[in-house]
Amino acid sequence: MDHDDSGAFQGPLDGNSAAGLLQEVFVFEATSAILTCAGCGAAGPIGATRLYGGAMGAVLRCAHCDTALLRVTRTEIGIWLDMQGARSLLMRDAPAA
Amino acid sequence: MQDSPISRGFRGRRPPARNDRVPPGQHLTEDFPVLSAGPTPAAKLGSWSFALQDGGSLLAKWSWQEFEALPQTEVTVDIHCVTTWSKLDTHWRGVTIDTLFEAAGLDEPPEAFAMIHCDGGYTTNVPVEDLIDGKAMIATHYEGKPLAPEHGGPARLLVPHLYFWKSAKWARRLRFLEADEPGFWESLGYHIYGDPWREQRYAGD
């Protein structure tokens, strides 16, 4: 449609852009942890998800089926986390030297 | 398409002096920023419908053509996003929730609460009393043009006296609820009601 919008939406960012907020939730480097989608079963690093939600919070969606894998908001009383769309989160050990 | 009378209104609700139009903690913007919790769905008017539902039963359903043939209302309202921008004098056209209920043959709403369901799975909860008596519509036009997809086209809820996340984009279904339930943002720390004049941004405000 032809609506002119000066606040044009640039599309989703990649999940790496949520690194700051994720660091408040997880003590490890979260963007490389592996999420498995409860919707389609696809597995991949958090950094490869698609980030929506803008200033309201981080909505990380599956790059394959758009399921909301992980949602995080920061409010006055603390951090809220929802992972209903994720089947699992794998925090891989560092490879042995 | 536009063969029904257009009325003007959204009655009641705060027509304050201009210097009293910006709620606490908000600033004015001339832009129309876009905030989305998910990808913009492709608008397919041929398969679009809007439905009223009570529990599991369907009360009414309109195709796009049927929806556009319902009596239309134009409003000019101020909108307030919880991310702190407010925009004055936005102009919308659509079908009020009162008109929808009347067209569905509802003498009165069957329940006190409602959940709005959208393409892409977004939801938001609103008490029915905040949707009726000229306080809300399903909007299909913005500033005289069909509502752009990134702003919720073909149709979004417009309930301007609450924070704008309640004005759900890509609305497809209104489901009556016996008891209030949190929607997408309300279940993740945002306020269950969201009155900008009482600065109800977060749970507990």
Side-chain angles (χ1 to χ4, degrees), chain B residues 21-144:
Chain B
R21 290 171 64 178
V22 184
Q26 298 291 109
H27 68 273
L28 287 179
T29 182
E30 297 295 320
D31 297 340
F32 194 172
V34 172
L35 194 155
S36 293
T40 299
K44 295 195 181 94
L45 297 183
S47 57
W48 185 92
S49 62
F50 191 84
L52 298 182
Q53 196 183 341
D54 186 14
S57 62
L58 185 68
L59 300 176
K61 190 174 181 178
W62 297 270
S63 68
W64 179 256
Q65 225 169 3
E66 291 166 339
F67 198 85
E68 284 282 271
L70 291 168
Q72 305 283 311
T73 299
E74 291 188 11
V75 294
T76 301
V77 294
D78 303 339
I79 56 178
H80 312 289
C81 179
V82 72
T83 62
T84 73
W85 59 262
S86 289
K87 188 171 172 61
L88 304 181
D89 297 321
T90 60
H91 184 219
W92 304 81
R93 174 158 75 79
V95 178
T96 64
I97 303 297
D98 300 301
T99 297
L100 283 182
F101 287 1
E102 194 182 327
L106 295 177
D107 291 333
E108 57 183 71
E111 308 286 356
F113 298 95
M115 188 73 81
I116 308 297
H117 294 262
C118 305
D119 276 331
Y122 184 82
T123 54
T124 192
N125 58 300
V126 187
V128 172
E129 65 174 15
D130 287 273
L131 296 174
I132 58 175
D133 298 330
K135 293 199 277 291
M137 67 162 52
I138 301 296
T140 56
H141 288 70
Y142 173 72
E143 302 300 346

Side-chain angles (χ1 to χ4, degrees), chain B residues 140-173:
Chain B
T140 56
H141 288 70
Y142 173 72
E143 302 300 346
K145 295 177 185 170
L147 185 57
E150 68 268 27
H151 286 305
R156 75 182 295 164
L157 179 67
L158 176 67
V159 53
H161 67 283
L162 301 179
Y163 279 124
F164 209 50
W165 89 77
K166 296 283 188 181
S167 292
K169 302 200 279 192
W170 313 307
R172 294 290 300 274
R173 188 158 52 98

Side-chain angles (χ1 to χ4, degrees), chain A residues 5-88:
Chain A
D5 179 14
S6 50
F9 183 52
Q10 300 299 321
L13 303 172
D14 70 68
N16 286 308
S17 308
L21 189 52
L22 291 169
Q23 211 161 24
E24 293 200 69
V25 183
F26 300 108
V27 294
F28 52 90
E29 167 48 46
T31 56
S32 57
I34 306 293
L35 272 176
T36 299
C37 177
C40 73
I46 287 181
T49 60
R50 289 181 179 154
L51 174 65
Y52 295 88
M56 286 192 76
V59 180
L60 296 167
R61 291 186 179 271
C62 176
H64 301 275
C65 75
D66 288 327
T67 290
L69 300 167
L70 191 150
R71 304 189 296 144
V72 192
T73 59
R74 185 86 178 80
T75 78
E76 292 161 331
I77 59 167
I79 298 164
W80 298 69
L81 170 67
D82 168 81
M83 288 187 59
Q84 286 182 81
R87 190 182 294 163
S88 65

